[in-house]
Amino acid sequence: MLHVIPLGGLGEIGLNAMVIACRGELLLIDCGLMFPPMGTLGVDVIVPDFTYLRQNASLLKGIVLTHGHEDHVGALPFLLNEVPVPVYGTRFTLGMVRGRLEELGVKADLREIEPRHPFPVGAHFTVEACRVTHTVPDAVGYIVRTPEGPIIHTGDFKLDPDPIDGLRTDLERWGELGDEGVLCLLSDSTNSERTHETGSERLVEQTFERLFQDVPGRIVVSMFASHLHRIHHVLDLARKLERKVVTMGRSMARNIEMARQLGYLPSVTDGLFVPLDAAASLPPERLLVLATGSQAEPRAGLSQLAAGDGPLRLGPGDLVVLSARAIPGNERAVTGLIDQLLWRGARVVYPDVEPGVHVSGHASQPQQRRVLDLVRPKNFVPIHGEFHHLHRHLATAKESGLAPEQLLLAQDGDLLVFEEGQGRFGGSVPTGRIYRDRFGNGVVTPDILQERTRLAETGLIVAVLVIDRASLSVLAGPQLSGQGLNLDEQVLLPRVADDARAFFLEMSPQLRGDDARAREELARAVRRAFKLYTSKRPVVVPMVIKV
C-alpha cells in the first residue's frame, strides 16, 4: 500500500510539499512557502504546518527538490530545524538553498544529484530526476519507484522547443515510463486554463533586443531574481550595448554571484558591474539596472526607484521593463508601482502592453495534454494550483481518455491510498498554514493577526494621567496621543480628553488607589468619550502616574 499526502500546494499558489509514504518510510518532494496577501500585518512568509512530519520524524528518509524557487524550497529552514534529514537536489537548486540556509544559520546534509541517475532514499524508494524546462536553471521532475509502482512528479515545467540552455523537458524518459506503466502522474496545473501554447523564452530575448535599442536614458529591468536564464541574456545585452550594470536588491546580487561561482554565467566579468553609489555619476545612456521588485515588494529595488529613494533618480528618457506578471493578489500593488514610475517620467513596459517581455514557465493546457497522452497513467492527481486550476486540469485528463475512477481531485491534507494499481481517498492528516515574521524567528498566531487588524482598523490611543499620591486627586491629564487615527479623529482628541477626565472623576478617590483598577477605568473613560464622537472603539493604552 502506498500513500500520497499533499501538505501544501493543492488549492493555492505556493506551499508546495508532497509526501509519499510506503512501508513505514516517508519521502518529501519540495518544501515551499508562500508570501502573504496584502493586509496580513507583520507576516512576511507563510509555511506549511509540518505537524504530520514532526509526528513521524523518524520515518522521513529524505527531501527531494524540484527547483530553487521559494514556493518549492523556502520552508526548508523551518522544517530542517526540527526534522534534520538529507536534502537532494541539482547543483543550482542546492546553490539557491545553501544561501538561504546559511542566512538563517541552519545546517543541512545537502546531496547533489544528476538527471537520469537513479538514487535510493531509504529502503523502499528509488528516485530519478528528469530534466524539465522552467524559469530557473537545473529544474527537474521526479520518477519515484515504489513497491506499488512508479510515480511521476513533474515539478514546475513547460515544453519549450528552443530553451535558452538547450535543455528540453525530458519527454522521452516520461514516454519510456508510460510504456512501462505509471501508477500515478502528479502534474503541474498552474496554467491549466490557458488554451494557447506557452511561449518560448526566445521570444523574451527578441523583445529585449528590440526594446533596448536606442534608449536615450537608463534601462531598468525588474524580474524574479531566480530567473537566471533571462538575467544572463540581459547581462549579455548590456555588454554588447556597452552599458555598465548595477544590481538593486540583495537577492539579485546574491543569485548572480552564486551563479557565477557555479559557472552558470560564463560570459559575465567583474568589469561589467558598478556599485550603486557610483552609478549616479555615469551617463544615463551607459547604465542598465537589474532590480528586484516586479511584484511591488516595498523593500525591493524597483520600489526604491519608484519612490525616488537612493542615489538614482528616474526621469524622461529612462526605460523600465517589468519582466513578470503580477502574482494573483498583487495586481493593485503592481498597478500602483507602474503609476509611480510613469509619474516620474519613465517609459514603462509590462506584459499587458508588451506581451513579449515575459513568458510563463508553466505548461499550458495543450502541453499538459501532451504529457497525459504520453504517460497514460493509471491514476492522475493535478497539483500546484488553486482549486479552479486543479479542476480544469482534471477536465483535460478526462478529455485525454482517463476514466472518472482514475481521476483524484485532492486538497491539502488528503490521504490518497494506492493499492493494486487503483487510487482512492483514505482520510486526512493535520495540515494548515503557519504565519511567520521576516526572519522566521516568531510565529504570528491568528489571535495576534486579529489584534493587529483591529489596531489598523480602529487606531490606538495612549492616555497618560497624573494623580497625587497622597490625596489621589487628578493633577493633570489625561493627555492623549493617537496612532492610526485620521485627521478628523486627531482633532477630536482634546475634547475626548476633557470628557474622559470627567468620566474618570466619577470614580471614587479610594478606588484610584488601586493601580490596576485606575488604569482599567482610565481606558474605559477614554473609549467611552471617543465613542461619543465616532463609531470607533480604539485600543487604549492607559498610564497612571502617581507623584
Side-chain angles (χ1 to χ4, degrees), residues 6-52:
L7 298 182
L10 275 67
E12 64 263 320
I13 302 295
L15 295 181
N16 298 293
M18 180 72 70
V19 175
I20 299 176
C22 188
R23 299 188 181 181
E25 293 185 342
L26 306 182
L27 171 71
L28 178 64
I29 302 177
D30 285 336
C31 189
L33 54 72
M34 70 186 298
F35 295 102
M38 291 183 64
T40 314
L41 303 174
V43 175
D44 292 283
V45 297
I46 303 172
V47 301
D49 184 343
F50 291 122
T51 297
Y52 176 77

Side-chain angles (χ1 to χ4, degrees), residues 84-115:
V85 294
V87 178
Y88 302 84
T90 55
R91 189 180 186 202
F92 186 84
T93 299
L94 294 185
M96 298 280 287
V97 166
R98 190 173 288 108
R100 178 66 171 156
L101 294 176
E102 289 174 355
E103 186 179 40
L104 295 181
V106 178
K107 295 184 178 180
D109 178 6
L110 303 181
R111 303 183 182 183
E112 186 175 329
I113 61 172
E114 288 284 344

Side-chain angles (χ1 to χ4, degrees), residues 175-242:
E176 292 171 357
L177 262 291
D179 293 338
E180 176 184 329
V182 173
L183 174 64
C184 184
L185 171 65
L186 308 166
S187 186
D188 175 18
S189 305
T190 308
N191 276 352
S192 63
E193 296 175 332
R194 297 189 181 180
T195 57
H196 299 293
E197 290 279 343
T198 301
S200 171
E201 185 66 22
R202 295 292 180 188
L203 174 62
V204 180
E205 274 196 341
Q206 297 162 8
T207 304
F208 282 178
E209 289 172 6
R210 172 171 53 82
L211 289 174
F212 291 5
Q213 295 297 324
D214 303 320
V215 176
R218 303 177 184 91
I219 297 174
V220 179
V221 186
S222 182
M223 67 181 82
F224 290 112
S226 59
H227 207 325
L228 262 296
H229 295 315
R230 198 169 294 177
I231 289 171
H232 192 183
H233 180 58
V234 170
L235 294 175
D236 282 346
L237 276 177
R239 180 171 47 82
K240 292 175 184 177
L241 295 171
E242 297 182 348

Side-chain angles (χ1 to χ4, degrees), residues 440-495:
N441 294 323
V443 173
V444 181
T445 65
D447 288 345
I448 293 173
L449 269 180
Q450 185 177 17
E451 185 65 18
R452 288 176 179 175
T453 302
R454 183 186 168 203
L455 283 170
E457 291 175 349
T458 65
L460 178 144
I461 295 175
V462 177
V464 181
L465 190 71
V466 181
I467 295 178
D468 182 83
R469 184 178 300 275
S471 66
L472 300 177
S473 61
V474 175
L475 299 178
Q479 181 177 342
L480 308 182
S481 59
Q483 297 291 326
L485 306 180
N486 62 37
L487 184 59
D488 291 339
E489 292 163 348
Q490 290 281 1
V491 170
L492 286 173
L493 288 183
R495 294 169 62 185

Side-chain angles (χ1 to χ4, degrees), residues 96-161:
M96 298 280 287
V97 166
R98 190 173 288 108
R100 178 66 171 156
L101 294 176
E102 289 174 355
E103 186 179 40
L104 295 181
V106 178
K107 295 184 178 180
D109 178 6
L110 303 181
R111 303 183 182 183
E112 186 175 329
I113 61 172
E114 288 284 344
R116 289 203 173 210
H117 286 72
F119 57 95
V121 179
H124 302 300
F125 301 113
T126 299
V127 182
E128 178 185 344
C130 292
R131 193 173 299 282
V132 298
T133 302
H134 190 42
T135 60
V136 62
D138 268 1
V140 295
Y142 284 103
I143 298 166
V144 182
R145 293 188 179 275
T146 76
E148 291 290 332
I151 291 174
I152 292 180
H153 185 295
T154 67
D156 285 355
F157 79 99
K158 72 174 182 178
L159 306 182
D160 190 334

